[in-house]
Amino acid sequence: MGWRGILGFEYGIVQAPLGPDISGPELVAAVANAGAIGILRAPDWECPDYLRELIRKTRSLTDKPFGVGIVLAFPHKENLKIILEEKVAILQLYWGEVTQDIVLEAHEAGVKVVPQIGSFEEAKRAADVGVDAIIVQGHEAGGHVIGHEAIIALVPRVVDLVASRGIPVIAAGGIVDERGYVAALALGAQGVCLGTRFLATEESFAHPIYKRKLVEMNETEYTDVFGRARWPGAPQRVLKTPFFMEWRNLPSHENEANQPVIGHTTIHGMEKEIRQFAGTVPNKTARGDIESMVMYAGEGVGLIHEILPAAQVVNRLVEGAQILIQQNFTS
């Protein structure tokens, strides 16, 4: 069963690298200490010294292995060097080509490579360069979503593709509880990757208003309203906040570049302006018009009813999946 662990970890549960800095050392360490796979989000700019400090701060909070996620669409070569020098357990990659050179370099450093993909073709390319596991992200996922298929169709196809290669498949998209976990296992996945559920935890670095909205709101929409200038061609799934519903039909020629500043924040130690329609979610340091900022969430958000400690999220998933399997699927 997938809850018995993958990639040398106790459980087959992955905490997604939540950007820009929502999955910081506190969240990642809490997830790792609970036996699951915690993943830091590397900055979207080159800052190797800072990233090394981030990794070492996480190590001061846990003696368990963890990972670091990189978005390949942004500058990352110097950051990648630090990740490999620090020999974290997992290099998680997204939104770009995973080359054989990266995989070989990571393996030489003893680091496992786990890309997140959104299509069968992307999964095939990743498998061909020798990755260690594949996160299959469905259209149900929150944040930036690269593919257009639901996990119920995509996961089994990828499982069949890599079955003979011994590559674990991890399902991502709309999974927040033990029912989604067991459903993913039934599709052939050996693990699950959760973003929104770990976003709504005590240790996540999300702004309290953002966390409250995740509990209060039930509906999301796939859109490209936010962050068009900074990250073009990168649609996202967001909460249907009043601000979003007012501007959901924003003309395609508009973007955040010429919009007013609605707030400020500190991201990975750097002071940033937040303009209207920016793709930057409010972290704990954000100030200004928080409710007009983007709030990413997956389709499973309606199943989140409280903010929990991250370890409790892991324990509920594991124990709930075991009970569900024993009560309903064991003769």
Side-chain angles (χ1 to χ4, degrees):
M1 295 300 176
W3 40 262
R4 289 183 180 160
I6 54 173
L7 300 172
F9 289 78
E10 191 172 352
Y11 302 129
I13 297 168
V14 181
Q15 163 253 304
L18 304 165
D21 61 351
I22 304 300
S23 58
E26 291 76 16
L27 175 58
V28 172
V31 171
N33 286 333
I37 304 173
I39 304 181
L40 291 169
R41 167 71 180 273
D44 293 337
W45 58 90
E46 299 283 26
C47 53
D49 293 339
Y50 174 87
L51 181 55
R52 193 188 300 275
E53 290 178 12
L54 200 66
I55 292 168
R56 292 184 176 180
K57 182 178 179 182
T58 307
R59 284 199 172 122
S60 74
L61 300 173
T62 182
D63 59 359
K64 300 288 185 66
F66 57 89
V68 181
I70 284 179
V71 176
L72 295 169
F74 297 114
H76 59 269
K77 289 185 178 178
E78 295 304 313
N79 292 341
L80 176 60
K81 287 180 184 177
I82 295 302
I83 292 168
L84 301 186
E85 284 179 15
E86 289 293 318
K87 299 184 184 298
V88 300
I90 287 175
L91 169 64
Q92 193 269 351
L93 301 169
Y94 189 39
W95 215 282
E97 184 184 0
V98 181
T99 65
Q100 194 156 42
D101 287 345
I102 291 177
V103 174
L104 290 174
E105 192 176 356
H107 286 172
E108 286 176 4
V111 176
K112 294 181 171 69
V113 180
V114 182
Q116 179 167 284
I117 61 89
S119 69
F120 181 83
E121 293 72 21
E122 200 179 358
K124 187 175 188 306
R125 290 194 295 270
D128 286 345
V129 296
V131 300
D132 298 280
I134 296 175
I135 299 173
V136 178
Q137 184 196 47
H139 195 64
E140 307 93 330
H144 292 92
V145 182
I146 201 168
H148 299 277
E149 291 185 68
I151 56 175
I152 197 166
L154 184 56
V155 166
R157 290 185 69 208
V158 177
V159 168
D160 290 347
L161 171 71
V162 302
S164 64
R165 309 192 197 193
I167 299 174
V169 171
I170 301 160
I175 300 168
V176 298
D177 64 11
E178 67 275 9
R179 293 169 295 183
Y181 193 176
V182 173
L185 296 177
L187 294 174
Q190 289 180 259
V192 288
C193 181
L194 292 79
T196 310
R197 177 62 271 190
F198 282 114
L199 182 61
T201 57
E202 292 178 1
E203 296 90 348
S204 98
F205 201 56
H207 194 281
I209 291 176
Y210 185 9
K211 292 185 186 183
R212 190 180 76 232
K213 294 290 185 185
L214 294 169
V215 172
E216 294 174 350
M217 303 190 74
N218 299 317
E219 295 186 341
T220 66
E221 187 164 314
Y222 186 67
T223 182
D224 74 339
V225 163
F226 298 99
R228 291 173 177 171
R230 177 176 174 269
W231 194 356
Q236 63 275 163
R237 183 171 298 282
V238 304
L239 283 176
K240 287 187 174 182
T241 61
F243 175 83
F244 170 71
M245 295 305 288
E246 180 182 354
W247 294 100
R248 65 195 293 197
N249 296 316
L250 185 73
S252 59
H253 66 275
E254 294 284 352
N255 61 51
E256 71 273 25
N258 61 352
Q259 296 296 316
V261 174
I262 61 169
H264 293 81
T265 186
T266 304
I267 298 172
H268 287 306
M270 292 188 67
E271 289 295 316
K272 303 273 188 180
E273 291 181 340
I274 299 181
R275 294 184 177 271
Q276 188 167 267
F277 308 126
T280 304
V281 296
N283 68 14
K284 199 175 288 187
T285 73
R287 53 224 182 259
D289 186 4
I290 303 297
E291 301 214 10
S292 295
M293 297 177 188
V294 64
M295 296 186 183
Y296 302 136
E299 286 186 346
V301 68
L303 297 169
I304 296 174
H305 306 300
E306 58 188 328
I307 306 301
L308 296 171
Q312 198 167 334
V313 170
V314 174
N315 292 336
R316 284 189 179 187
L317 283 164
V318 173
E319 293 170 6
Q322 290 172 332
I323 291 170
L324 194 58
I325 290 168
Q326 289 163 0
Q327 289 183 346
N328 295 284
F329 304 107
T330 303
S331 59

